Amino acid sequence: MPSLSDSYRNHPLHIHHKHHDLYSLQELPESYTWTNINDNTFTYPSSNNISEGSSVNVPVIDLNDPNASTLIGHACKTWGVFQVVNHGVPLSLLDDIEWVGLTLFSLPSQQKLKAARCPNGVSGYGLARISSFFPKLMWSEGFTILGSPLEHFRQLWPHDYNKYCDIVLQYDETMKKLAEKLMWMMLDSLGITKEDLKWAGSKSQFSEACAALQLNSYPSCPDPNRAMGLAPHTDSTLFTILYQNNISGLQVKHDGSDDGNGWVTVPPLSGGLVINVGDLLHILSNGLYPSAFHRVLVNRTRQRFSAAYLFGPPANVEICPHAKLVGPSRPPLYRPVTWNEQFSHTINTRLQILFYK
Ligand SMILES: O=C(O)CCC(=O)C(=O)O
Ligand SMILES: [Fe+2]
């Protein structure tokens, strides 16, 4: 059974060769300049104006609303992304994870590189996970946590790693509970019940589910109109729960957008969390809930931070269009895949869409 690490092994990332300290650069290096991709293969705005005043808005759903499950189903079908409020995650915990992330990314480069992700590994400090699939570098840095952060945090903070570890563990535990709740609301909106999904486990709590936490930092950028924080992609997850700080940058592709190029900003909402439909829910729903195609733009003056909780099925479970959503008039559109397989496939497919359309 290939592991997520196998997927990375096929697309190694050598951060030491490419690493720049983005916080001290006064000019955008050529390796980070995206505008020379002007051969019509890449959709990019003429200016990185991050408009908040769009007439189409990403849905905001109150999880205490008795209709929440129906509203979620509609948002998944029409947007692939929505924000939730009244989700039960204490705001102090969101502040805490932001503090861990900002403290981590503000360490000197040499210190961060002590916890660098191995070229073929998953956990640790490094370039955006999708970097190896794109010709240009992105104006961001990331830290991926799969399982315990202890080993890496000990290298970053030899004396007081415990307080940072405790916050990450509490964040993981809280997100796991929210993920379970959201997953059942999404499944309910598809007409799938607890009896219909064996891999949810005997208590239907997704106790074997895999998850990773991805911390992202987007430093202020000397030339934001020619830089890309995170290139357009879909997440290979079932879904992603994203906390973003109060700096705009996340955009999602949506047919009804009114900016002429299809990108709609997902505005930061105090205390809100963004939910992105990922490729595996796309497959499980037999295409009814399309995965959100999204990207991140950067700005000249403010550092942006986000924490993405990547929620997926148990490693050995193959996700396929659910039997309840397949019939004579609705053949299965996708073959069964594990999360590990999907990681490689999707990005390749999306790249083909981007570069060969
Ligand atoms: O920073 C963001 O808002 C999005 C991050 C993201 O898309 C990811 O980590 O996959
Ligand atoms: Fe993403």
Side-chain angles (χ1 to χ4, degrees):
M1 177 67 57
S3 69
L4 200 53
S5 319
D6 292 330
S7 306
Y8 283 85
R9 199 163 293 131
N10 296 331
H11 304 277
L13 261 178
H14 298 276
I15 186 173
H16 288 274
H17 299 164
K18 293 181 173 174
H19 188 259
H20 282 107
D21 180 5
L22 301 185
Y23 300 87
S24 63
L25 289 175
Q26 303 295 314
E27 274 181 30
L28 194 68
E30 173 62 27
S31 52
Y32 289 83
T33 305
W34 285 68
T35 37
N36 59 1
I37 303 175
N38 55 4
D39 54 1
N40 213 17
T41 55
F42 195 84
T43 318
Y44 202 73
S46 51
S47 150
N48 277 5
N49 286 335
I50 304 171
S51 138
E52 305 270 318
S54 174
S55 62
V56 284
N57 295 314
V58 174
V60 177
I61 297 171
D62 179 344
L63 288 190
N64 288 341
D65 187 323
N67 255 336
S69 178
T70 311
L71 295 170
I72 285 177
H74 188 253
C76 289
K77 201 178 279 183
T78 54
W79 278 86
V81 63
F82 55 95
Q83 305 214 53
V84 291
V85 293
N86 281 323
H87 41 62
V89 179
L91 299 190
S92 57
L93 188 56
L94 300 177
D95 287 344
D96 286 349
I97 200 71
E98 180 170 347
W99 174 74
V100 171
L102 292 178
T103 309
L104 190 161
F105 291 117
S106 70
L107 290 169
S109 284
Q110 285 316 312
Q111 190 69 8
K112 289 185 276 194
L113 287 169
K114 288 184 184 162
R117 194 190 289 135
C118 313
N120 53 10
V122 179
S123 299
Y125 170 71
L127 304 170
R129 288 168 295 124
I130 55 174
S131 282
S132 55
F133 301 94
F134 290 89
K136 291 290 182 170
L137 290 169
M138 296 167 212
W139 194 263
S140 58
E141 52 182 351
F143 194 96
T144 313
I145 300 167
L146 188 70
S148 168
L150 186 70
E151 281 314 306
H152 278 136
F153 279 15
R154 226 202 287 254
Q155 282 153 326
L156 294 175
W157 298 289
H159 305 298
D160 51 0
Y161 53 87
N162 263 334
K163 65 180 182 205
Y164 301 103
C165 282
D166 288 348
I167 292 172
V168 166
L169 295 179
Q170 205 188 335
Y171 194 78
D172 265 345
E173 206 173 296
T174 309
M175 284 294 139
K176 187 174 182 348
K177 288 196 190 112
L178 177 59
E180 177 193 339
K181 178 173 176 168
L182 287 168
M183 187 70 196
W184 282 120
M185 290 174 115
M186 289 172 175
L187 291 169
D188 178 54
S189 71
L190 288 165
I192 296 169
T193 65
K194 296 196 167 158
E195 290 72 52
D196 299 327
L197 205 73
K198 295 287 164 282
W199 61 261
S202 53
K203 293 185 182 151
S204 304
Q205 288 176 330
F206 300 102
S207 44
E208 303 296 314
C210 289
L213 181 62
Q214 170 73 25
L215 307 178
N216 300 303
S217 166
Y218 307 87
S220 55
C221 177
D223 194 354
N225 291 341
R226 302 196 300 152
M228 180 65 86
L230 207 53
H233 67 283
T234 57
D235 295 346
S236 57
T237 54
L238 282 163
F239 58 82
T240 302
I241 306 176
L242 184 94
Y243 164 71
Q244 55 175 341
N245 72 353
N246 59 354
I247 308 297
S248 282
L250 175 63
Q251 296 192 317
V252 60
K253 193 90 168 169
H254 183 67
D255 288 343
S257 92
D258 57 3
D259 72 345
N261 64 26
W263 291 104
V264 177
T265 298
V266 185
L269 184 63
S270 176
L273 291 168
V274 179
I275 315 298
N276 280 328
V277 172
D279 298 327
L280 293 178
L281 186 58
H282 182 134
I283 292 171
L284 188 147
S285 68
N286 203 19
L288 286 175
Y289 293 176
S291 51
F293 197 44
H294 55 286
R295 69 177 186 182
V296 178
L297 301 183
V298 292
N299 74 81
R300 196 180 291 277
T301 52
R302 309 285 298 274
Q303 178 185 10
R304 182 168 182 278
F305 170 80
S306 71
Y309 183 78
L310 310 166
F311 181 67
N316 57 353
V317 166
E318 287 195 318
I319 296 295
C320 59
H322 195 276
K324 277 197 158 172
L325 306 173
V326 169
S329 62
R330 274 197 303 198
L333 298 175
Y334 310 96
R335 67 172 185 82
V337 283
T338 62
W339 190 3
N340 310 313
E341 289 164 343
Q342 186 55 24
F343 175 80
S344 312
H345 287 153
T346 309
I347 292 183
N348 288 330
T349 311
R350 291 295 187 182
L351 271 184
Q352 279 166 18
I353 293 168
L354 281 169
F355 290 104
Y356 302 110
K357 76 179 176 191

